[in-house]
Amino acid sequence: MTTPEVHRLHPLSWLFITGNTVKRLVIPAILVLFASSTNPLARYELLSLIAIGPALVVALFKQAIYSYRFAADELVIREGFLFRKERHIPYGRVHNVALVRNPFHRMLGVASARVETAAGGEPEAVMRVLSLAAVGELRRHALGKERAAALPAAADAEAPPELATVKEAASSGILLRVPAGELVRLGLISNRGFLVVAAFVGVVSQASWWELDWEAYYGAARDRAPEWSAWLFEPGSTTSLGLIGVGLLLLLFVVLLRVFSVAWHLTKYYGFVLARDDDDLRAEFGLLTRVSSLIPVHRIQLVTMSASLLHRWSGRAGIDVETAGAMEGSGEDGDQLAGMGSRSNRQWLAPIIAADRAPALIRAVIPEIDVEAVDWEPLDPRAVRRIFKKALLALGAVTGLVTAILALTPIPVSPWHALWLPALLAPLIWRGADGWVQNAGWALTDDAVFFRSGWLARRTSVVRFDKMQTVTMRESPLDRRNHMASVAVDTAGAGSEGHRIAIPYLDLEVARGIFERLYGETCGTEFNW
Amino acid sequence: MPGEAPDSEPADASETGVRGIVDGEEHEVDPRSVTVARLVAMPTILAVAIVPLGGVTLAWALGGVPSYVYLPLLTGWNVLVGAALVWAYQWPELRHRHLRYRVDESGVRIRRGVLWRKVVSIPTSRVQHTDVSQGPVQRRFGLATLTVYTAGTEGASIGLEGLEQSVAERLRDHLLPDHEDHDGAEGPSPRSRER
């Protein structure tokens, strides 16, 4: 074995390392500048900008110290400023070398590479930043020769070959392309607009709005309002007109939400392409920050197909998978790499797809999983009453609370009116419980366990037997009274949110059967990440 | 396969030294674990209880708190602590009564829970590694906790406390060797060394 050559980061790395810190300092500083027109104390927050100097120094040190080399069977990374650290990452464990390129990266011809292993937790290494040629070399080493062989030679930095992989693979199997029109539709049927609203609220709250002279604004608005809207400002304007005004505002809010949502989805998933290349899936997406990631099919632990009410009305669904590996984009890298769906390591196979094409796409990725060919088994029919009772209990508590409030406070409404609450909601709850149970179901095939649930928003999840870890059967006190139980399957890299294989409200005997069968199937297979 | 035990005769001393353990039968953990749990929980409760009690008593002694507040407070607190102590005495026994484990060639199954019952099955093929640990009180009694690690999330580590130490070690060895050959490429976490 020849002594491996030591590699360093791209000479411009300091720019990106500092950039991350600066982003966090400068954006609040800009907000402060806005806010400080009304609140002079806020200017002191600008002092935090002093930290940029040291950040730059640290960044230069980091860049100087960070080095990596490709040993025979492992990637060795040296890093650390005060505490030096040497990491050994065996190639066999690397399951993804993901790239992130925002417009700055593209301008300078570099990329942030993130080496993900099956370990869970933080990504094994984030290399910020590498030249495209270096990325090619990294991928060739870390992902193995045969996988690299599928890629074109990475010598030419002009035409970034690693980033062209999806296009190259066009002949070898594009599984899905999401056109911009579909993303607009996705924006319309999703609620992502709230993210933008939350950000907006954040900005507004920075500006100490409560100190603003609202009466002056109101007066100015009234003076400039056109003739036809004068009624809005009349002191004696009737309640109904006021209500119309509020209604219009709400409508505007909803429209804005949708506009934001569409914009968010377009920016994030623009040009989404999913391609299959032997055992690997390649996904590429993003308008400003272009993300290119690689998902080895055999690392997929759980597949979920989901559809909200609006999705179903428009005949669409989404498919995502959980892979074992890089979980929370922890620490300083979290915000930059959040665009990869790395939180709770879920990744979209399809952010949106025609519902009737979804099973075929899953089959194309994992042939053993055929959602259409599954014989669904129902939950125990007693589940409806149990869910209903549980909800009634909560409803009773709320009703009691509302009654108490109406009785004890000077609100001029009779406490009896609180009874409208159960009268109106109970039938709805019954309908919901019934719908939930009707739609929920489980299935065992030769290779996998399926579970679906949800009433308005529905989700179906699949885990192959060789990806199961432990199998658990639970009996709550109420379960025992009803001779029922639930069965759950644990998988590697499961996020805190997201759909699980956890089948509730089963008859005890049925639950035992599933439990034993799943355990037997798990024992009969070898887990291979 | 569950329930299937190639070596199900306890009398037959198998050369692996796991006779009477890897037999597909349900076992209780060592009953002395009840004492251990009590010896850990009860002093803890007393230690936690004494701090606010001491504070209030001091305030009362210095005249900061009137007697008509202090005495009911004292009584209430003592009742509360007494109840907690009774609970700390009773609960370990209840818990012990509902804790069972079963080991066979295919894996381990742990059944536990007094009100909320739970059975976890861990196939040997999914065991990443195992360890045996002992707290100070456990060491006095020669007991140990066996922890089984899987690649899962919720069941990433599953503990079985109150085993006799030799039993815990034999179980560890039983669950371990199968996986040592895979360790090179498939282990859960690449190692990072600090210098």
Side-chain angles (χ1 to χ4, degrees), chain B residues 134-146:
Chain B
Q134 276 186 314
V137 185
Q138 279 185 324
R139 198 171 322 148
R140 255 313 133 74
F141 286 81
L143 299 183
T145 300
L146 172 76

Side-chain angles (χ1 to χ4, degrees), chain A residues 468 473 480 490 528-529, chain B residues 109 115 117 119 126 155 186:
Chain A
M468 298 193 302
M473 184 168 82
R480 280 190 284 136
D490 194 22
N528 208 345
W529 284 101
Chain B
R109 178 168 299 192
L115 290 175
R117 305 255 164 97
V119 193
R126 297 300 190 272
E186 320 275 37

Side-chain angles (χ1 to χ4, degrees), chain B residues 115-182:
Chain B
L115 290 175
W116 275 265
R117 305 255 164 97
K118 179 176 158 182
V119 193
V120 191
S121 275
I122 315 154
T124 319
S125 62
R126 297 300 190 272
V127 175
Q128 290 292 326
H129 64 280
T130 53
D131 64 39
V132 170
S133 60
Q134 276 186 314
V137 185
Q138 279 185 324
R139 198 171 322 148
R140 255 313 133 74
F141 286 81
L143 299 183
T145 300
L146 172 76
T147 313
V148 181
Y149 296 89
T150 72
T153 313
E154 198 194 344
S157 72
I158 295 154
L160 179 58
E161 62 280 352
L163 292 170
E164 204 181 314
Q165 192 181 358
S166 59
V167 174
E169 276 165 5
R170 281 189 287 172
L171 280 181
R172 177 189 63 192
D173 295 343
H174 169 68
L175 292 171
L176 204 61
D178 227 59
H179 262 254
E180 258 169 355
D181 10 318
H182 299 282

Side-chain angles (χ1 to χ4, degrees), chain A residues 226-487:
Chain A
E227 283 290 312
W228 55 266
S229 63
W231 55 269
L232 270 176
F233 300 100
E234 273 173 32
S237 73
T238 54
T239 325
S240 58
L241 285 181
L243 278 180
I244 292 173
V246 171
L248 283 176
L249 277 177
L250 276 179
L251 193 68
L252 185 72
F253 182 69
V254 170
V255 169
L256 268 181
L257 270 187
R258 295 295 141 180
V259 170
F260 286 146
S261 182
V262 168
W264 189 87
H265 280 101
L266 272 177
T267 324
K268 183 147 181 197
Y269 297 119
Y270 184 78
F272 188 100
V273 184
L274 180 77
R276 170 132 202 185
D277 183 3
D278 262 347
D279 186 40
D280 296 331
L281 291 175
R282 296 174 189 282
E284 227 188 272
F285 52 90
L287 183 63
L288 299 176
T289 299
R290 192 81 183 149
V291 174
S292 129
S293 84
L294 182 143
I295 313 165
V297 170
H298 71 272
R299 307 257 196 215
I300 294 176
Q301 313 286 325
L302 176 127
V303 182
T304 302
M305 199 170 83
S306 52
S308 70
L309 186 62
L310 289 174
H311 275 83
R312 285 190 289 123
W313 281 350
S314 56
R316 295 296 185 277
I319 304 170
D320 62 308
V321 294
E322 269 183 2
T323 51
M327 266 220 298
E328 323 282 322
S330 68
E332 55 179 316
D333 306 306
D335 42 356
Q336 187 177 353
L337 295 162
M340 310 183 55
S342 55
R343 288 230 321 273
S344 85
N345 66 13
R346 282 184 163 247
Q347 308 199 37
W348 287 113
L349 283 191
I352 184 167
I353 184 170
D356 49 356
R357 282 186 55 208
L361 180 65
I362 297 178
R363 259 200 319 272
V365 173
I366 305 173
E368 309 87 286
I369 299 180
D370 191 346
V371 182
E372 285 167 318
V374 157
D375 291 324
W376 291 102
E377 302 278 346
L379 300 186
D380 192 293
R382 288 170 293 166
V384 183
R385 291 183 61 186
R386 282 190 57 194
I387 299 172
F388 183 61
K389 274 189 205 163
K390 214 192 293 180
L392 270 195
L393 224 60
L395 186 60
V398 171
T399 308
L401 194 73
V402 171
T403 313
I405 289 174
L406 290 183
L408 301 175
T409 58
I411 298 174
V413 179
S414 157
W416 289 106
H417 283 297
L419 292 180
W420 284 108
L421 220 56
L424 292 175
L425 286 183
L428 202 67
I429 290 174
W430 177 267
R431 181 70 197 82
D434 190 52
W436 197 90
V437 174
Q438 291 307 324
N439 182 60
W442 57 275
L444 293 168
T445 64
D446 290 341
D447 306 287
V449 51
F450 291 69
F451 174 60
R452 63 177 185 190
S453 67
W455 173 40
L456 297 177
R458 296 178 183 174
R459 292 192 286 188
T460 305
S461 289
V462 193
V463 172
R464 284 171 288 171
F465 292 145
D466 57 346
K467 299 303 177 196
M468 298 193 302
Q469 300 292 330
T470 56
V471 188
T472 310
M473 184 168 82
R474 286 193 176 79
E475 289 167 77
S476 72
L478 278 175
D479 274 335
R480 280 190 284 136
R481 220 173 79 181
N482 293 292
H483 201 66
M484 288 161 91
S486 64
V487 175

Side-chain angles (χ1 to χ4, degrees), chain A residues 147-188:
Chain A
R147 281 203 254 169
L151 312 174
D156 185 7
E158 275 307 301
E162 306 311 323
L163 304 169
T165 46
V166 168
K167 280 147 219 142
E168 294 285 326
S171 50
S172 69
I174 292 234
L175 297 178
L176 178 74
R177 242 180 236 286
V178 180
E182 282 292 283
L183 288 175
V184 171
R185 184 194 293 261
L186 178 61
L188 289 176

Side-chain angles (χ1 to χ4, degrees), chain A residues 79-92:
Chain A
E79 61 180 327
F81 179 40
L82 288 176
F83 299 92
R84 307 201 74 184
K85 204 173 179 185
E86 190 173 290
R87 288 163 169 273
H88 294 250
I89 309 171
Y91 298 138

